[in-house]
Amino acid sequence: MIIRESAINYRKSHTNRIFLMVALLFISFWSRAQQTQIDSLKNILEKGSRDTSAVNTLNLLSLAVLSNEDIDKAIAYAMEANDLADDINYDSGQALAQKYIGLGYFYQGNYLAVMDHWNQSLESYKKVRDTSGMANILNNLGGVYLSQGGSDKALDYYLQSLYYAEKVKDTFRITSVLPNIGAVYGDLKDYDKALEYFQRMEKYLPGIDNPQITTYYYMGVGEIYNKLKKYDLALEAYQWALPLTENTSDYAHILKEMGMIENALGNRAKAIDYLTLSYRTAKEKNQQLELLHALIGLGEMYKASNYSKAVDLYNEAESLAIELETNKGLRDIYRGLSETYASKGDYNKAYTFQTLFLAQKDSIYNKETDDKIRGLQFDFENQQNQDKIGLLNKEKEIATLQAKRQKYVIYGTIISLILVFVMAVGAYSRYKYVKKTNKIIEDEKDRSEKLLLNILPEETARELKEKGKVAAKRFESVTILFSDFKGFTSHAQHLNPEILVKSVDYYFSRFDEIMDKYGLEKIKTVGDAYMCAGGLPFPTSDHPFKMIEAAIEMAAVMEEIKIRPKEDIVPFDVRIGINTGTVVAGVVGLNKFAYDIWGDAVNVASRMETKSEPGRINISENTYEIIKNVYDCEFRGEVEVKNKGKMSMYFVKGRKIIRHAKSEKEVNA
């Protein structure tokens, strides 16, 4: 299976290997499942009653059919298990079902759904106090964030996972997450911290019967020593890992790494042998990414000694890198071609490829991100220190009581006992009073914070508290959504006002939940109109996609009432319009202030809603150009718009189908 960078932001590093191993480890047993086993589970399900055993069977069926590449059916079985577990209040079964639903969506590349269901699974594990289950899900959530480029958030989840795994002394979970943390620190070039986490695994390795974890320990250590240029130690680690990976997808990768290390040690002949074997292995097993890296490594070997061979290798690698859509691969290829042509005096081509190299070069993590990650590490270590301090305080209290007892025996006076008792009662009373007072203060502070955050975005509220005012800000890319209800005015003239207000409150409350789910900002409501925006107050790149998902769910809420009516809730048809563009945002007024946005993009979004149809999502050309590769859209042509002339508009029809694994080997990978 070719995993493209545009889909998973694949990084050929230890980090991604560890995550995929941990997140999908529980499938390995089912990779050998036969149809007879699936049929057997179906027979058990048909003959059994609708109880906890049925939930367990449905979960096993989901895992079994997933190994047979029927992802839709795997999700369906897991959803059925989830619904049944919910009906019979079987929280443990529901936690597992939600995990398997998320796994199915992971194969489909629907990462929003993955995060949604794995967060539900996390809450279910918390409900039943399954600490190992919590550690597992937190580890997987970290892997999803890492695959999407969120190293800081990934590290947060990994550290939480480690905290819970160590709390219950779950060796498997500990050894699953430690290399993930070490690898993230390695990517951030904090090599001492990376080695610290890898070395914490060493005491567990003799007692675990899991060659995969042992393999990735050696690979991780080898990678860090390689980055530190401690080549002898790196080579030793990879030599331990190599025989463990002979029949796995990591074999070609380790051969490539050993080749590059031998070259760094000056053993060019050995380097070429390792890289050639890596190339042949990857080609034989159709491992396209490993094949690419072997080609780049061989090009590096020959660029100074065999000009034409180096160019041929780099050209072959370039074709493969373009097919795989990997910017990092193209960066290394263009750098190699630039140096190769420069060594032969062809400076025109060298300059051309140097320009291409610079265009592909990745940006380095900035200081702000590093500070944030160090803060997360501090929070984790602080939590551990608090646990230790609590234990020391308890031991100190016991020692104090023993000392007092000895003192009482020595003096043998009733007066001393009475005085100590009175002091203890007074201290306890004062402790209770202070605790109660602090609780009242904290509650009032939390209440004030919640009221302010209910009116303004968090960043804006913070600025208002700190400075007493909020400066207007310009956002280059924001997606705005307007919606209103068809026929609302005519309904308002004939309906009971209480029923009308109750209906609007129901729909807007559901819309607010959707906004929270996708991290979008509700701007305001006017009558039956609802306005929201994505990409502010914190600029992001995925706000058009989140807004489309939110719009789909908003339309589904309206359809849900038509299918399953609720008492005193009036069904309406909703019109939705969306546009993406530049806006200015700020707070207006002195009393009853409100957060609002202005700009031509806002006006266009309003026109998109006006020109929409009931139950449809009408988007502008600006939004369409961003989301067209993910969603199927229907071109409406150019529609006359007041004060704008003719504008191209599109109806969103639904998500496009994403390719998933087609073979048992791809599932295992």
Side-chain angles (χ1 to χ4, degrees):
M1 173 174 61
I2 297 176
I3 303 178
R4 299 187 181 278
E5 259 189 350
S6 58
I8 300 184
N9 191 24
Y10 183 94
R11 298 183 300 167
K12 175 53 79 177
S13 73
H14 174 76
T15 306
N16 295 82
R17 295 168 174 274
I18 289 293
F19 162 62
L20 290 174
M21 183 273 289
V22 172
L24 309 180
L25 190 60
F26 48 82
I27 295 183
S28 61
F29 169 78
W30 284 105
S31 64
R32 301 179 296 275
Q34 303 297 321
Q35 187 62 42
T36 53
Q37 292 174 307
I38 297 174
D39 293 339
S40 176
L41 289 170
K42 289 180 178 178
N43 289 334
I44 294 172
L45 187 64
E46 291 173 0
K47 296 176 182 179
S49 57
R50 307 291 285 177
D51 55 14
T52 57
S53 63
V55 175
N56 295 335
T57 303
L58 284 166
N59 280 328
L60 288 172
L61 265 173
S62 173
L63 199 56
V65 298
L66 182 61
S67 71
N68 280 3
E69 305 168 42
D70 193 343
I71 297 176
D72 291 334
K73 187 170 288 186
I75 294 173
Y77 277 128
M79 284 184 170
E80 186 178 351
N82 180 56
D83 293 341
L84 178 56
D86 186 43
D87 290 341
I88 64 176
N89 296 319
Y90 181 28
D91 295 323
S92 296
Q94 191 169 23
L96 195 59
Q98 289 158 350
K99 180 164 72 171
Y100 289 170
I101 295 170
L103 183 62
Y105 283 124
F106 178 85
Y107 272 97
Q108 290 182 341
N110 188 347
Y111 298 109
L112 291 174
V114 173
M115 297 301 294
D116 182 26
H117 289 285
W118 278 355
N119 275 308
Q120 290 180 47
S121 178
L122 178 62
E123 292 305 314
S124 295
Y125 278 126
K126 287 180 180 178
K127 191 174 181 180
V128 297
R129 298 182 180 180
D130 184 343
T131 308
S132 291
M134 292 162 58
N136 173 224
I137 291 296
L138 286 165
N139 193 11
N140 289 352
L141 286 169
V144 174
Y145 271 105
L146 189 62
S147 72
Q148 300 302 296
S151 296
D152 53 344
K153 190 68 175 178
L155 187 58
D156 186 13
Y157 277 113
Y158 285 150
L159 291 172
Q160 290 184 62
S161 175
L162 179 60
Y163 172 76
Y164 286 115
E166 290 186 334
K167 194 171 184 179
V168 293
K169 296 180 173 59
D170 188 330
T171 301
F172 176 72
R173 298 298 176 206
I174 292 171
T175 54
S176 296
V177 72
L178 278 174
N180 286 0
I181 299 172
V184 173
Y185 278 118
D187 286 347
L188 297 174
K189 299 183 180 179
D190 191 344
Y191 301 129
D192 291 338
K193 185 69 72 173
L195 282 175
E196 174 189 330
Y197 279 96
F198 279 118
Q199 288 165 356
R200 283 170 64 173
M201 291 182 66
E202 293 175 356
K203 65 179 180 180
Y204 299 106
L205 293 179
I208 62 172
D209 185 20
N210 193 314
Q212 285 180 299
I213 290 179
T214 303
T215 296
Y216 289 119
Y217 159 74
Y218 286 122
M219 290 175 65
V221 171
E223 183 176 328
I224 300 303
Y225 279 132
N226 193 9
K227 289 177 178 179
L228 286 168
K229 297 184 179 180
K230 295 182 179 181
Y231 298 123
D232 290 334
L233 293 174
L235 191 61
E236 181 183 357
Y238 281 127
Q239 285 170 342
W240 279 104
L242 188 63
L244 298 173
T245 62
E246 190 168 355
N247 296 314
T248 71
S249 59
D250 293 313
Y251 191 68
H253 172 73
I254 293 176
L255 287 169
K256 187 269 293 183
E257 292 296 318
M258 292 175 69
M260 300 307 293
I261 292 171
E262 289 287 5
N263 183 60
L265 291 170
N267 303 324
R268 186 170 176 275
K270 282 188 177 181
I272 292 175
D273 288 342
Y274 277 128
L275 287 166
T276 302
L277 183 55
S278 174
Y279 172 83
R280 291 172 182 169
T281 303
K283 196 164 189 177
E284 177 185 341
K285 296 182 178 181
N286 196 29
Q287 295 170 354
Q288 301 287 63
L289 281 165
E290 298 299 348
L291 183 62
L292 172 65
H293 289 290
L295 285 167
I296 295 173
L298 285 168
E300 182 76 16
M301 297 301 104
Y302 286 107
K303 69 182 181 183
S305 61
N306 192 331
Y307 163 81
S308 60
K309 187 174 182 63
V311 170
D312 289 343
L313 288 165
Y314 280 129
N315 286 337
E316 183 182 350
E318 181 185 20
S319 300
L320 186 56
I322 292 172
E323 179 186 346
L324 297 177
E325 300 176 8
T326 164
N327 293 332
K328 288 190 174 182
L330 287 171
R331 176 200 63 189
D332 295 339
I333 292 165
Y334 293 146
R335 178 174 56 193
L337 282 168
S338 175
E339 293 172 355
T340 302
Y341 281 114
S343 69
K344 297 301 291 184
D346 192 340
Y347 297 111
N348 287 333
K349 286 188 176 180
Y351 174 77
T352 298
F353 285 108
Q354 176 68 8
T355 303
L356 291 172
F357 159 69
L358 293 174
Q360 296 291 343
K361 190 175 182 180
D362 292 329
S363 62
I364 305 301
Y365 284 97
N366 57 35
K367 183 179 182 298
E368 180 179 340
T369 302
D370 291 339
D371 290 343
K372 186 175 181 181
I373 291 173
R374 282 194 292 272
L376 293 172
Q377 171 65 16
F378 172 79
D379 288 342
F380 169 69
E381 293 176 350
N382 184 54
Q383 181 65 53
Q384 286 189 319
N385 289 338
Q386 290 300 321
D387 290 343
K388 293 177 181 177
I389 291 170
L391 182 59
L392 290 173
N393 285 339
K394 288 181 180 179
E395 293 175 350
K396 185 178 179 181
E397 288 174 7
I398 294 171
T400 302
L401 289 173
Q402 290 174 341
K404 285 182 178 180
R405 181 179 299 172
Q406 292 171 357
K407 187 176 181 180
Y408 299 154
V409 172
I410 293 172
Y411 291 103
T413 63
I414 298 175
I415 296 174
S416 297
L417 289 171
I418 294 173
L419 286 174
V420 171
F421 177 75
V422 170
M423 291 174 63
V425 171
Y428 180 69
S429 298
R430 179 174 177 77
Y431 165 75
K432 288 182 65 177
Y433 173 77
V434 172
K435 185 176 181 181
K436 184 177 180 180
T437 303
N438 289 340
K439 180 69 166 58
I440 293 172
I441 294 171
E442 286 298 322
D443 288 346
E444 289 301 318
K445 183 179 178 182
D446 290 343
R447 189 176 294 109
S448 299
E449 290 284 345
K450 289 177 181 177
L451 286 172
L452 190 58
L453 291 175
N454 198 35
I455 299 171
L456 303 174
E458 183 178 354
E459 181 192 33
T460 306
R462 188 185 306 115
E463 184 177 351
L464 184 64
K465 287 191 298 180
E466 293 175 355
K467 301 180 180 179
K469 60 181 181 179
V470 178
K473 293 183 180 180
R474 178 184 177 90
F475 295 88
E476 296 299 330
S477 179
V478 171
T479 300
I480 309 102
L481 178 148
F482 280 90
S483 75
D484 78 343
F485 301 145
K486 178 187 176 186
F488 180 82
T489 304
S490 61
H491 278 80
Q493 296 173 352
H494 301 96
L495 281 174
N496 181 310
E498 292 181 356
I499 293 178
L500 186 65
V501 171
K502 182 178 179 180
S503 299
V504 173
D505 177 67
Y506 171 79
Y507 290 123
F508 283 1
S509 296
R510 293 289 300 275
F511 291 175
D512 288 347
E513 292 172 359
I514 294 170
M515 296 305 110
D516 290 341
K517 176 180 177 180
Y518 290 103
L520 304 173
E521 283 293 334
K522 174 184 176 181
I523 303 301
K524 61 185 174 183
T525 61
V526 180
D528 65 320
Y530 188 98
M531 176 185 177
C532 62
L536 54 78
F538 298 105
T540 61
S541 60
D542 60 353
H543 53 84
F545 305 96
K546 288 184 176 179
M547 191 64 78
I548 296 296
E549 290 293 324
I552 292 171
E553 293 195 19
M554 290 169 68
V557 167
M558 311 306 294
E559 292 300 315
E560 178 185 318
I561 294 301
K562 294 180 183 178
I563 298 171
R564 291 188 291 275
K566 289 182 177 289
E567 184 178 357
D568 293 339
I569 303 299
V570 181
F572 289 106
D573 285 320
V574 66
R575 290 192 299 259
I576 299 175
I578 297 174
N579 178 46
T580 302
T582 301
V583 303
V584 174
V587 175
V588 294
L590 296 174
N591 300 320
K592 296 183 179 179
F593 44 76
Y595 185 77
D596 208 346
I597 58 176
W598 303 270
D600 187 61
V602 179
N603 299 330
V604 172
S606 178
R607 299 289 187 270
M608 293 299 109
E609 177 271 314
T610 304
K611 294 297 181 178
S612 186
E613 295 179 0
R616 305 298 294 272
I617 302 168
N618 187 37
I619 65 174
S620 67
E621 188 171 14
N622 293 339
T623 306
Y624 169 76
E625 289 299 327
I626 300 172
I627 61 95
K628 63 184 179 181
N629 292 328
V630 179
Y631 297 91
D632 285 324
C633 298
E634 174 187 335
F635 181 52
R636 301 180 61 191
E638 294 187 341
V639 180
E640 186 68 32
V641 176
K642 182 180 178 181
N643 298 329
K644 292 290 181 181
K646 291 186 177 182
M647 300 186 71
S648 296
M649 301 183 188
Y650 301 81
F651 281 139
V652 177
K653 297 172 68 178
R655 304 182 192 90
K656 292 184 177 181
I657 297 174
I658 300 175
R659 179 189 180 277
H660 58 78
K662 295 296 183 182
S663 68
E664 179 179 313
K665 180 182 290 186
E666 292 180 1
V667 172
N668 291 337

